[in-house]
Each structure stands twice: as structure tokens, then as C-alpha cells.
Amino acid sequence: MYLFKRSSDLKKHLDLVRKSNKSIGFVPTMGALHNGHLSLIQAAKKENDVVVCSIFVNPTQFNDPKDFEKYPITIEEDIKKLNDASTDILFLPSVEEMYPEGLTIGKNYDFGNLETILEGKFRQGHFQGVGRIVHKLLDIVQPHKLFMGQKDLQQCLIIRKLLIIINSTVKLVICPTERESSGLAMSSRNERLSPIARKKAVAIYQALEKLKHDFGKGLYFLEGAHEAFENLKKQGFEPEYVDILTLEGDNLHHIDQPPGNHTVVAAIAAWLDGVRLIDNMVLQGSL
Ligand code: AMP
């Protein structure tokens, strides 16, 4: 595996790859890699000749500086995992490399209501930071395909919108959420849970499963979401939202009437043991 820390070196290398007519798949990450990340690498390998993974803990997407400071960094293990997964290239830039202009000046993307609901409501500025870093990374890597996880569904939709805004021809591939055997969605943040909390955290997945089951039976969805919120509270979580939404074009809307043929998703964010966990599930249709 090649390791590049400078974008100019990576660009030069990838120019040669493109000249030899090879396709490039790109998997951006913030490291502390687990099988969820590796499933994206595998998907990218299946569909491309060369796979580039980036590891960069992006400061501009952290609304909470403490969360940024506590973000797990396991670079040695990450390199080993990427090597074992036969990744072709790892891009490991510094903050100065990615933000020579400084952290505060930035573009303002118009992501519409996607930026103000769910994660956007609780993490102000988060998606502008995500848009800013993914835009920069795409300019450097210029991949044919970009691989992201459904685990961060709203992020996928934001990036789908970003690709339109910047007139990009990159194809976004949304990969399914990898889960632990308990059902808990794999996440770098799970490492910060105590063993007891990690067991308890599966309740988020179970709540989504119940919403899906009840939705299938035609039960009233808003009541279900409210009940799930209260149940999580009773179990010691501090939920931020339990929402059921329709996906209309690239926008998410809180469901307020029978959804017809629209894709319907349930999404949860809840704190447990000082760790913020998110998960989602498609209740009807596809992404
Ligand atoms: P992160 O390092 O958390 O920024 O995640 C990097 C990429 O991995 C994003 O596209 C995430 O959606 C994806 N990802 C994170 N967790 C999972 C998971 N459990 N299953 C599939 N993809 C995931």
C-alpha cells in the first residue's frame, strides 16, 4: 500500500493511474477503522481498479471541541487493517495540508432543509464542515466512485447534494450499515462505551427494528416514534431525536401523512455513557 501525506504527491500518482485508464474508488474516513469501514473498502475494490482510503479527523465538522479531542486515533492498527484489506493507497494528510487557508474561512453550501433537521438541528455547522472537507478531498483524488455508509444516512444525502452543487460526475455508492452480532451499528465511538453500556446500546437497534415491524403492520408511526423516545429514556439513554421521515428527491421530511410510494426511514440519535450514538433504518423503499 502506498502512503501519501501530501496532496501534490497523491495527485501526481493518481494522474498516472488515470492515464493508464484505471478506475479509482475513494473511501474517506476519520480512522479508528472497524469492519464497517472495511466493508466500504471491499465494495470499492469490487467496482474499481484502484482504491484510495483517506484518514483525516476533520476539525471543521466537530461542533463540540471535546468530541474532537476525544476522537479515537489508532493509526498503526488502521494501517495494518488497510494493508490486510489490500487497499492500494492511504492518504493521511495533516490539518495544515487540508486547510492551508485556516479553519474559519469557508464556502457556504446551500444544502436546503437537509442541513437543519436531525443531525443538523443538534450539530450546528457540522454539515458545512463535512461538505468542505469532502469537496477538498474530491478535488485531490478525483475518483470515479465515492463509497459512503448508510450508517450516516444524512451525510450521504448531503454529499449527494454536494455532488450536484459542484457539478461533479462522481458516482456516490451508499453501502449498508455493518452491525455487531448484537445488532449495534459499528462505530468508532463504540470504543468509548463501557462494556455494560455497549451491551445496553443495542436498544437503539431494537427500537428501529420495532418501528420497522410496526410500520409494516400499518401502525401509526408518529406514536411509535414517541414511544421509542420515551422507552430509550427509561433505559438510561438521553435521546435527541427519534424521527420517521420520507425521502423525497434529495430531501428528508418529517412524516405527516401516509407516505405513498416514498422511501421511509427511521433515525435515532441518543447519548449513552457520555457517547453520542446514531443509527437509522429504511422502513419502506430504498435509498
Ligand atoms: P467515519 O470514519 O465515521 O467518518 O466513517 C467513514 C465512512 O464509514 C462513512 O461513510 C461512514 O458512513 C462509514 N461507516 C461508519 N460506520 C459504518 C458502519 N457501521 N457500516 C458501514 N459504513 C460505516
mmCIF file of all heavy atoms in Angstrom, residues 22-52:
data_model
loop_
_atom_site.group_PDB
_atom_site.id
_atom_site.type_symbol
_atom_site.label_atom_id
_atom_site.label_comp_id
_atom_site.label_asym_id
_atom_site.label_seq_id
_atom_site.Cartn_x
_atom_site.Cartn_y
_atom_site.Cartn_z
ATOM 1 N N LYS A 22 -7.285 3.371 -15.564
ATOM 2 C CA LYS A 22 -7.787 2.592 -14.425
ATOM 3 C C LYS A 22 -8.811 3.423 -13.652
ATOM 4 O O LYS A 22 -8.676 4.646 -13.542
ATOM 5 C CB LYS A 22 -6.625 2.217 -13.507
ATOM 6 C CG LYS A 22 -5.733 1.148 -14.124
ATOM 7 C CD LYS A 22 -4.716 0.668 -13.140
ATOM 8 C CE LYS A 22 -3.953 -0.508 -13.721
ATOM 9 N NZ LYS A 22 -2.605 -0.573 -13.183
ATOM 10 N N SER A 23 -9.820 2.717 -13.118
ATOM 11 C CA SER A 23 -10.847 3.444 -12.357
ATOM 12 C C SER A 23 -10.429 3.559 -10.893
ATOM 13 O O SER A 23 -9.745 2.687 -10.352
ATOM 14 C CB SER A 23 -12.194 2.728 -12.471
ATOM 15 O OG SER A 23 -12.097 1.452 -11.887
ATOM 16 N N ILE A 24 -10.870 4.665 -10.280
ATOM 17 C CA ILE A 24 -10.471 4.960 -8.897
ATOM 18 C C ILE A 24 -11.708 5.001 -8.001
ATOM 19 O O ILE A 24 -12.663 5.734 -8.274
ATOM 20 C CB ILE A 24 -9.745 6.324 -8.829
ATOM 21 C CG1 ILE A 24 -8.483 6.283 -9.699
ATOM 22 C CG2 ILE A 24 -9.395 6.687 -7.380
ATOM 23 C CD1 ILE A 24 -7.840 7.646 -9.917
ATOM 24 N N GLY A 25 -11.670 4.193 -6.930
ATOM 25 C CA GLY A 25 -12.729 4.232 -5.916
ATOM 26 C C GLY A 25 -12.171 4.897 -4.669
ATOM 27 O O GLY A 25 -11.016 4.663 -4.303
ATOM 28 N N PHE A 26 -12.992 5.715 -4.014
ATOM 29 C CA PHE A 26 -12.493 6.501 -2.881
ATOM 30 C C PHE A 26 -13.354 6.283 -1.638
ATOM 31 O O PHE A 26 -14.583 6.343 -1.692
ATOM 32 C CB PHE A 26 -12.503 7.986 -3.279
ATOM 33 C CG PHE A 26 -12.024 8.905 -2.193
ATOM 34 C CD1 PHE A 26 -10.934 8.595 -1.387
ATOM 35 C CD2 PHE A 26 -12.666 10.130 -1.980
ATOM 36 C CE1 PHE A 26 -10.505 9.455 -0.385
ATOM 37 C CE2 PHE A 26 -12.237 10.998 -0.985
ATOM 38 C CZ PHE A 26 -11.153 10.651 -0.184
ATOM 39 N N VAL A 27 -12.687 6.031 -0.517
ATOM 40 C CA VAL A 27 -13.364 5.827 0.768
ATOM 41 C C VAL A 27 -12.796 6.813 1.803
ATOM 42 O O VAL A 27 -11.736 6.563 2.385
ATOM 43 C CB VAL A 27 -13.152 4.372 1.279
ATOM 44 C CG1 VAL A 27 -13.873 4.165 2.613
ATOM 45 C CG2 VAL A 27 -13.606 3.347 0.250
ATOM 46 N N PRO A 28 -13.473 7.942 2.027
ATOM 47 C CA PRO A 28 -12.985 8.875 3.052
ATOM 48 C C PRO A 28 -13.394 8.412 4.457
ATOM 49 O O PRO A 28 -14.541 7.995 4.657
ATOM 50 C CB PRO A 28 -13.687 10.195 2.702
ATOM 51 C CG PRO A 28 -14.856 9.826 1.861
ATOM 52 C CD PRO A 28 -14.659 8.449 1.315
ATOM 53 N N THR A 29 -12.468 8.483 5.409
ATOM 54 C CA THR A 29 -12.789 8.096 6.791
ATOM 55 C C THR A 29 -12.083 9.036 7.770
ATOM 56 O O THR A 29 -11.215 9.812 7.378
ATOM 57 C CB THR A 29 -12.312 6.660 7.133
ATOM 58 O OG1 THR A 29 -10.899 6.700 7.423
ATOM 59 C CG2 THR A 29 -12.565 5.675 6.021
ATOM 60 N N MET A 30 -12.458 8.849 9.050
ATOM 61 C CA MET A 30 -11.745 9.581 10.107
ATOM 62 C C MET A 30 -10.927 8.600 10.947
ATOM 63 O O MET A 30 -10.527 8.918 12.068
ATOM 64 C CB MET A 30 -12.738 10.359 10.974
ATOM 65 C CG MET A 30 -13.481 11.418 10.166
ATOM 66 S SD MET A 30 -14.060 12.799 11.133
ATOM 67 C CE MET A 30 -15.202 11.972 12.222
ATOM 68 N N GLY A 31 -10.712 7.398 10.417
ATOM 69 C CA GLY A 31 -9.851 6.441 11.114
ATOM 70 C C GLY A 31 -10.559 5.699 12.233
ATOM 71 O O GLY A 31 -11.784 5.659 12.274
ATOM 72 N N ALA A 32 -9.760 5.102 13.144
ATOM 73 C CA ALA A 32 -10.279 4.170 14.159
ATOM 74 C C ALA A 32 -11.136 3.132 13.426
ATOM 75 O O ALA A 32 -12.315 2.926 13.738
ATOM 76 C CB ALA A 32 -11.062 4.896 15.250
ATOM 77 N N LEU A 33 -10.502 2.517 12.462
ATOM 78 C CA LEU A 33 -11.237 1.691 11.487
ATOM 79 C C LEU A 33 -11.810 0.415 12.104
ATOM 80 O O LEU A 33 -11.189 -0.209 12.954
ATOM 81 C CB LEU A 33 -10.322 1.336 10.312
ATOM 82 C CG LEU A 33 -9.730 2.527 9.545
ATOM 83 C CD1 LEU A 33 -8.878 2.040 8.384
ATOM 84 C CD2 LEU A 33 -10.827 3.461 9.044
ATOM 85 N N HIS A 34 -13.005 0.073 11.643
ATOM 86 C CA HIS A 34 -13.668 -1.173 12.059
ATOM 87 C C HIS A 34 -14.222 -1.820 10.794
ATOM 88 O O HIS A 34 -14.010 -1.324 9.671
ATOM 89 C CB HIS A 34 -14.771 -0.887 13.087
ATOM 90 C CG HIS A 34 -15.704 0.223 12.676
ATOM 91 N ND1 HIS A 34 -16.567 0.109 11.620
ATOM 92 C CD2 HIS A 34 -15.874 1.478 13.158
ATOM 93 C CE1 HIS A 34 -17.250 1.226 11.492
ATOM 94 N NE2 HIS A 34 -16.836 2.088 12.402
ATOM 95 N N ASN A 35 -14.976 -2.928 11.001
ATOM 96 C CA ASN A 35 -15.446 -3.669 9.822
ATOM 97 C C ASN A 35 -16.426 -2.881 8.956
ATOM 98 O O ASN A 35 -16.608 -3.201 7.783
ATOM 99 C CB ASN A 35 -16.090 -4.993 10.244
ATOM 100 C CG ASN A 35 -15.016 -6.004 10.599
ATOM 101 O OD1 ASN A 35 -13.851 -5.826 10.220
ATOM 102 N ND2 ASN A 35 -15.380 -7.049 11.335
ATOM 103 N N GLY A 36 -17.070 -1.866 9.539
ATOM 104 C CA GLY A 36 -17.945 -1.005 8.728
ATOM 105 C C GLY A 36 -17.130 -0.295 7.660
ATOM 106 O O GLY A 36 -17.471 -0.316 6.467
ATOM 107 N N HIS A 37 -16.010 0.299 8.082
ATOM 108 C CA HIS A 37 -15.124 0.976 7.121
ATOM 109 C C HIS A 37 -14.587 -0.036 6.101
ATOM 110 O O HIS A 37 -14.526 0.249 4.901
ATOM 111 C CB HIS A 37 -13.923 1.598 7.840
ATOM 112 C CG HIS A 37 -14.272 2.661 8.830
ATOM 113 N ND1 HIS A 37 -14.106 2.512 10.185
ATOM 114 C CD2 HIS A 37 -14.779 3.914 8.660
ATOM 115 C CE1 HIS A 37 -14.479 3.613 10.806
ATOM 116 N NE2 HIS A 37 -14.897 4.477 9.914
ATOM 117 N N LEU A 38 -14.211 -1.211 6.625
ATOM 118 C CA LEU A 38 -13.579 -2.190 5.714
ATOM 119 C C LEU A 38 -14.582 -2.722 4.682
ATOM 120 O O LEU A 38 -14.196 -3.086 3.566
ATOM 121 C CB LEU A 38 -12.945 -3.332 6.518
ATOM 122 C CG LEU A 38 -11.805 -2.852 7.447
ATOM 123 C CD1 LEU A 38 -11.253 -4.008 8.276
ATOM 124 C CD2 LEU A 38 -10.664 -2.179 6.664
ATOM 125 N N SER A 39 -15.868 -2.706 5.052
ATOM 126 C CA SER A 39 -16.878 -3.142 4.064
ATOM 127 C C SER A 39 -16.930 -2.138 2.902
ATOM 128 O O SER A 39 -17.208 -2.516 1.759
ATOM 129 C CB SER A 39 -18.253 -3.308 4.715
ATOM 130 O OG SER A 39 -18.814 -2.047 5.029
ATOM 131 N N LEU A 40 -16.651 -0.868 3.194
ATOM 132 C CA LEU A 40 -16.625 0.139 2.118
ATOM 133 C C LEU A 40 -15.413 -0.112 1.214
ATOM 134 O O LEU A 40 -15.491 0.017 -0.013
ATOM 135 C CB LEU A 40 -16.545 1.559 2.676
ATOM 136 C CG LEU A 40 -17.633 2.039 3.651
ATOM 137 C CD1 LEU A 40 -17.469 3.535 3.909
ATOM 138 C CD2 LEU A 40 -19.015 1.773 3.116
ATOM 139 N N ILE A 41 -14.285 -0.473 1.842
ATOM 140 C CA ILE A 41 -13.083 -0.767 1.050
ATOM 141 C C ILE A 41 -13.369 -1.947 0.113
ATOM 142 O O ILE A 41 -13.033 -1.926 -1.076
ATOM 143 C CB ILE A 41 -11.879 -1.119 1.974
ATOM 144 C CG1 ILE A 41 -11.557 0.041 2.922
ATOM 145 C CG2 ILE A 41 -10.665 -1.577 1.172
ATOM 146 C CD1 ILE A 41 -10.764 1.167 2.341
ATOM 147 N N GLN A 42 -14.016 -2.984 0.683
ATOM 148 C CA GLN A 42 -14.335 -4.161 -0.149
ATOM 149 C C GLN A 42 -15.250 -3.795 -1.305
ATOM 150 O O GLN A 42 -15.037 -4.219 -2.446
ATOM 151 C CB GLN A 42 -14.993 -5.250 0.697
ATOM 152 C CG GLN A 42 -13.974 -6.154 1.377
ATOM 153 C CD GLN A 42 -14.486 -6.734 2.687
ATOM 154 O OE1 GLN A 42 -15.699 -6.759 2.920
ATOM 155 N NE2 GLN A 42 -13.566 -7.181 3.528
ATOM 156 N N ALA A 43 -16.270 -3.004 -1.012
ATOM 157 C CA ALA A 43 -17.208 -2.588 -2.076
ATOM 158 C C ALA A 43 -16.453 -1.799 -3.141
ATOM 159 O O ALA A 43 -16.662 -1.992 -4.348
ATOM 160 C CB ALA A 43 -18.334 -1.742 -1.483
ATOM 161 N N ALA A 44 -15.542 -0.916 -2.693
ATOM 162 C CA ALA A 44 -14.777 -0.090 -3.648
ATOM 163 C C ALA A 44 -13.862 -0.974 -4.495
ATOM 164 O O ALA A 44 -13.685 -0.733 -5.695
ATOM 165 C CB ALA A 44 -13.964 0.951 -2.892
ATOM 166 N N LYS A 45 -13.293 -2.008 -3.879
ATOM 167 C CA LYS A 45 -12.385 -2.899 -4.621
ATOM 168 C C LYS A 45 -13.140 -3.668 -5.707
ATOM 169 O O LYS A 45 -12.636 -3.874 -6.798
ATOM 170 C CB LYS A 45 -11.721 -3.906 -3.661
ATOM 171 C CG LYS A 45 -10.560 -3.311 -2.906
ATOM 172 C CD LYS A 45 -9.751 -4.365 -2.185
ATOM 173 C CE LYS A 45 -8.872 -5.163 -3.109
ATOM 174 N NZ LYS A 45 -7.773 -4.382 -3.705
ATOM 175 N N LYS A 46 -14.371 -4.066 -5.367
ATOM 176 C CA LYS A 46 -15.175 -4.820 -6.338
ATOM 177 C C LYS A 46 -15.445 -4.007 -7.592
ATOM 178 O O LYS A 46 -15.537 -4.530 -8.691
ATOM 179 C CB LYS A 46 -16.522 -5.196 -5.707
ATOM 180 C CG LYS A 46 -16.532 -6.608 -5.172
ATOM 181 C CD LYS A 46 -17.945 -7.021 -4.834
ATOM 182 C CE LYS A 46 -17.875 -8.044 -3.704
ATOM 183 N NZ LYS A 46 -18.981 -7.966 -2.803
ATOM 184 N N GLU A 47 -15.613 -2.683 -7.410
ATOM 185 C CA GLU A 47 -16.074 -1.861 -8.534
ATOM 186 C C GLU A 47 -14.997 -1.006 -9.185
ATOM 187 O O GLU A 47 -15.284 -0.262 -10.107
ATOM 188 C CB GLU A 47 -17.214 -0.939 -8.048
ATOM 189 C CG GLU A 47 -18.429 -1.709 -7.570
ATOM 190 C CD GLU A 47 -19.606 -0.799 -7.240
ATOM 191 O OE1 GLU A 47 -19.760 0.242 -7.882
ATOM 192 O OE2 GLU A 47 -20.370 -1.156 -6.327
ATOM 193 N N ASN A 48 -13.740 -1.074 -8.659
ATOM 194 C CA ASN A 48 -12.689 -0.195 -9.193
ATOM 195 C C ASN A 48 -11.343 -0.910 -9.274
ATOM 196 O O ASN A 48 -11.095 -1.869 -8.556
ATOM 197 C CB ASN A 48 -12.523 1.034 -8.293
ATOM 198 C CG ASN A 48 -13.796 1.849 -8.250
ATOM 199 O OD1 ASN A 48 -14.034 2.682 -9.118
ATOM 200 N ND2 ASN A 48 -14.628 1.578 -7.264
ATOM 201 N N ASP A 49 -10.456 -0.347 -10.113
ATOM 202 C CA ASP A 49 -9.105 -0.920 -10.229
ATOM 203 C C ASP A 49 -8.220 -0.502 -9.063
ATOM 204 O O ASP A 49 -7.382 -1.268 -8.602
ATOM 205 C CB ASP A 49 -8.446 -0.454 -11.541
ATOM 206 C CG ASP A 49 -9.286 -0.850 -12.742
ATOM 207 O OD1 ASP A 49 -9.686 -2.028 -12.795
ATOM 208 O OD2 ASP A 49 -9.567 0.009 -13.609
ATOM 209 N N VAL A 50 -8.387 0.729 -8.618
ATOM 210 C CA VAL A 50 -7.518 1.269 -7.563
ATOM 211 C C VAL A 50 -8.391 1.879 -6.460
ATOM 212 O O VAL A 50 -9.328 2.626 -6.754
ATOM 213 C CB VAL A 50 -6.575 2.355 -8.156
ATOM 214 C CG1 VAL A 50 -5.812 3.080 -7.056
ATOM 215 C CG2 VAL A 50 -5.607 1.723 -9.147
ATOM 216 N N VAL A 51 -8.078 1.519 -5.208
ATOM 217 C CA VAL A 51 -8.869 2.048 -4.088
ATOM 218 C C VAL A 51 -8.014 2.967 -3.210
ATOM 219 O O VAL A 51 -6.940 2.589 -2.748
ATOM 220 C CB VAL A 51 -9.447 0.895 -3.231
ATOM 221 C CG1 VAL A 51 -10.127 1.452 -1.976
ATOM 222 C CG2 VAL A 51 -10.445 0.093 -4.048
ATOM 223 N N VAL A 52 -8.533 4.174 -3.025
ATOM 224 C CA VAL A 52 -7.882 5.162 -2.167
ATOM 225 C C VAL A 52 -8.721 5.321 -0.905
ATOM 226 O O VAL A 52 -9.936 5.524 -0.987
ATOM 227 C CB VAL A 52 -7.799 6.551 -2.855
ATOM 228 C CG1 VAL A 52 -7.076 7.551 -1.957
ATOM 229 C CG2 VAL A 52 -7.131 6.441 -4.213
#
